[in-house]
Amino acid sequence: MHPHRSRGERAGLTRAVVLDGAFDLLTTHPVETLSLRALARHLGVAPNALYSHITDKSDLIEGLLDHALAAVQSPPARTPPADALAAIMTSTYDVLLAHPALVPHYLARQGSRGPNATHLGTSMLGFLARADVRGDAAGEALRVLIVYTIGFAALTTSSAAEPRAPLSQEELRGNFHNGLRWLLDGITAHRGSAST
Amino acid sequence: MHPHRSRGERAGLTRAVVLDGAFDLLTTHPVETLSLRALARHLGVAPNALYSHITDKSDLIEGLLDHALAAVQSPPARTPPADALAAIMTSTYDVLLAHPALVPHYLARQGSRGPNATHLGTSMLGFLARADVRGDAAGEALRVLIVYTIGFAALTTSSAAEPRAPLSQEELRGNFHNGLRWLLDGITAHRGSAST
DNA sequence: ACCTGAACACCGTTCAAGT
DNA sequence: ACCTGAACACCGTTCAAGT
């Protein structure tokens, strides 16, 4: 199975190499769900060799999620708040669509752990504050925007997997955009009113 | 493994029995993901016996999704539209939380196939029309509401799985409610303006 | 038609080695 | 410390029987 290396030889694995390999596998074979064994095959190592660089499959997923979020574009600081938030969410939506296999995992972690996700969150809170949405309402608006964006990405990717899709990708993207506008209108209309 | 039955004896399985058994397993062991082998164990049959009553695992899931949606409460017909829509989505949210293992599967199918989901959809379209939201805008609003509700349910259930949850279930439910209001405000404010 | 036994091609993960 | 071999306890699904 792995004829190139004998018992003690190094394969040159690193956490970065493993992550890049997984990213490779995910982008070249977007349909199938990522498995550690397939990743090991892709890297030319035994399945359990991965455990020297990751603690777990969920640890790998975690790393991939944040790695992907690095591609999200942030608008200039003086962009009108609602437009800026729409731009960030739309960019996130596009990034998620590029990695369908990761989408189901995003909702679970709310995009909260990694540095890229954190940076994105604080950036969004900044724009929300500029729209006079602060405190509890800002935290709630943040979660609502994230849930909506990831949820719609999940809908879009699963719809893309079906052969006779009722809606095209363009229609779904337009639907996402309109819903995002409704949401931002609702959020900014009620600014400052944190409720319980 | 199955000492009670010899080679040709019937186990009394039916599609309904299989579905109920799966529902049983899902509600008594909400955490673990449903497997056909565990379901067969629960029913006291061999794993492949299920294939006489379901075509597939996804077929089983499909059946479960619609089966669960039967519990969603519909408000009286003359309820103010926005309140009615909020009530339907909140009831759906609660039903989804009762079956966490199903939540990841809901977004994929948009709740569109089964009779219960269809009925719910037409009911929602009725209330949307009463709020002067029709045509393309109504379809888009419908998808947005569904995506938001399932998405937030996914966030809530995954957050419940974590030991040290940053937010309580009550806080998340309040968050869901507020976001739903923002969304409905946005939807009804732009009534009639179908866009592309 | 309904069910079992056995098998196939997979999983994630662990444990005991080897260098 | 890094990797392999082998194994464990699982999966979904198929195929050939038996009644």
Side-chain angles (χ1 to χ4, degrees):
Chain A
M1 266 226 165
H2 309 287
H4 304 313
R5 261 183 317 284
S6 54
R7 196 115 199 178
E9 278 186 87
R10 302 303 162 97
L13 287 191
T14 311
R15 189 164 216 275
V17 172
V18 171
L19 246 87
D20 287 349
F23 218 73
D24 238 51
L25 207 58
L26 229 48
T27 50
T28 56
H29 302 78
V31 176
E32 50 227 271
T33 55
L34 182 68
S35 83
L36 293 185
R37 294 186 103 103
L39 173 56
R41 223 176 294 134
H42 182 67
L43 294 169
V45 299
N48 47 2
L50 301 175
Y51 285 85
S52 297
H53 306 93
I54 62 172
T55 71
D56 220 310
K57 187 182 183 178
S58 77
D59 176 41
L60 172 69
I61 300 281
E62 197 96 10
L64 288 174
L65 294 184
D66 203 66
H67 192 255
L69 286 183
V72 176
Q73 304 277 355
S74 271
R78 46 182 121 257
T79 310
D83 294 343
L85 288 167
I88 291 178
M89 299 331 283
T90 302
S91 177
T92 302
Y93 177 77
D94 290 334
V95 166
L96 293 185
L97 290 196
H99 309 286
L102 290 181
V103 173
H105 298 283
Y106 268 105
L107 267 187
R109 348 234 158 172
Q110 216 197 123
S112 60
R113 306 235 206 269
N116 287 324
T118 305
H119 176 264
L120 224 51
T122 56
S123 170
M124 288 174 66
L125 284 175
F127 285 116
L128 281 169
R130 203 158 309 170
D132 282 329
V133 181
R134 308 167 203 272
D136 287 353
E140 297 209 341
L142 186 65
R143 264 185 300 278
V144 163
L145 287 170
I146 293 172
V147 159
Y148 173 72
T149 302
I150 304 176
F152 221 106
L155 171 66
T156 306
T157 55
S158 70
S159 172
E162 288 180 51
R164 356 180 87 262
L167 273 70
S168 71
Q169 297 292 102
E170 290 78 21
E171 287 172 309
L172 286 171
R173 199 173 193 280
N175 198 156
F176 167 75
H177 179 261
N178 287 334
L180 186 56
R181 270 294 159 195
W182 292 333
L183 209 43
L184 288 169
D185 286 352
I187 289 171
T188 53
H190 290 254
R191 56 173 165 258
S193 73
S195 52
T196 318
Chain B
M1 266 226 164
H2 309 290
H4 305 313
R5 262 184 316 285
S6 55
R7 200 117 197 177
E9 280 186 84
R10 302 303 161 95
L13 286 191
T14 310
R15 189 165 217 274
V17 172
V18 171
L19 246 87
D20 286 350
F23 218 73
D24 238 50
L25 207 58
L26 227 50
T27 51
T28 57
H29 302 77
V31 176
E32 50 226 270
T33 55
L34 181 68
S35 84
L36 292 186
R37 295 186 102 103
L39 174 55
R41 223 177 292 134
H42 182 65
L43 294 170
V45 298
N48 46 1
L50 302 175
Y51 284 86
S52 297
H53 306 94
I54 61 172
T55 71
D56 219 311
K57 187 182 183 180
S58 78
D59 177 39
L60 172 69
I61 301 279
E62 197 96 8
L64 288 174
L65 295 184
D66 204 66
H67 192 255
L69 286 182
V72 175
Q73 305 276 357
S74 270
R78 47 181 121 259
T79 310
D83 294 342
L85 289 167
I88 291 178
M89 300 330 283
T90 302
S91 177
T92 302
Y93 177 77
D94 290 334
V95 166
L96 294 185
L97 291 196
H99 309 285
L102 290 181
V103 174
H105 299 282
Y106 268 105
L107 267 186
R109 347 233 159 174
Q110 218 196 125
S112 60
R113 306 236 207 269
N116 287 322
T118 305
H119 176 264
L120 224 53
T122 57
S123 170
M124 289 174 66
L125 285 176
F127 286 116
L128 282 169
R130 203 157 310 171
D132 282 331
V133 180
R134 309 167 203 271
D136 286 353
E140 297 209 340
L142 187 66
R143 263 185 300 278
V144 164
L145 287 171
I146 292 172
V147 159
Y148 173 73
T149 301
I150 303 176
F152 220 106
L155 171 66
T156 305
T157 54
S158 70
S159 172
E162 288 180 51
R164 355 181 90 261
L167 272 69
S168 71
Q169 296 293 99
E170 289 78 20
E171 287 172 310
L172 287 172
R173 199 173 193 280
N175 199 155
F176 166 74
H177 179 261
N178 287 334
L180 187 56
R181 272 291 160 197
W182 292 334
L183 209 42
L184 288 169
D185 286 353
I187 289 171
T188 53
H190 290 255
R191 56 174 165 258
S193 72
S195 51
T196 318

